[in-house]
Amino acid sequence: MLLDLFSALLLISLLLGLIMYGVIQAKNGDLAEVAVSDAEVVIMPRGVFRFLSFR
């Protein structure tokens, strides 16, 4: 039971750390790289936002 609690807390802390890292990166304005040409606009997410943009 104690091992289950520890593993759940570890997963929750990992997810919260990932979210906090994303928030810090968002405050710095480092969300994505934008490339503009005559025919298209390409938006490439950076860092943790690569994983969050899969939905």
Side-chain angles (χ1 to χ4, degrees), residues 30-45:
D30 197 20
L31 296 170
E33 182 177 335
V34 179
V36 180
S37 69
D38 291 336
E40 62 186 6
V41 176
V42 178
I43 302 172
M44 296 171 283

Side-chain angles (χ1 to χ4, degrees), residues 18-50:
L18 185 65
I19 291 170
M20 289 303 297
Y21 179 74
V23 168
I24 290 169
Q25 292 296 318
K27 283 186 176 183
N28 292 337
D30 197 20
L31 296 170
E33 182 177 335
V34 179
V36 180
S37 69
D38 291 336
E40 62 186 6
V41 176
V42 178
I43 302 172
M44 296 171 283
R46 290 184 176 174
V48 71
F49 298 103
R50 288 182 185 168

Side-chain angles (χ1 to χ4, degrees), residues 4-31:
D4 292 336
L5 180 62
F6 179 72
S7 62
L9 287 176
L10 183 63
L11 180 63
I12 289 171
S13 64
L14 180 66
L15 289 174
L16 285 176
L18 185 65
I19 291 170
M20 289 303 297
Y21 179 74
V23 168
I24 290 169
Q25 292 296 318
K27 283 186 176 183
N28 292 337
D30 197 20
L31 296 170

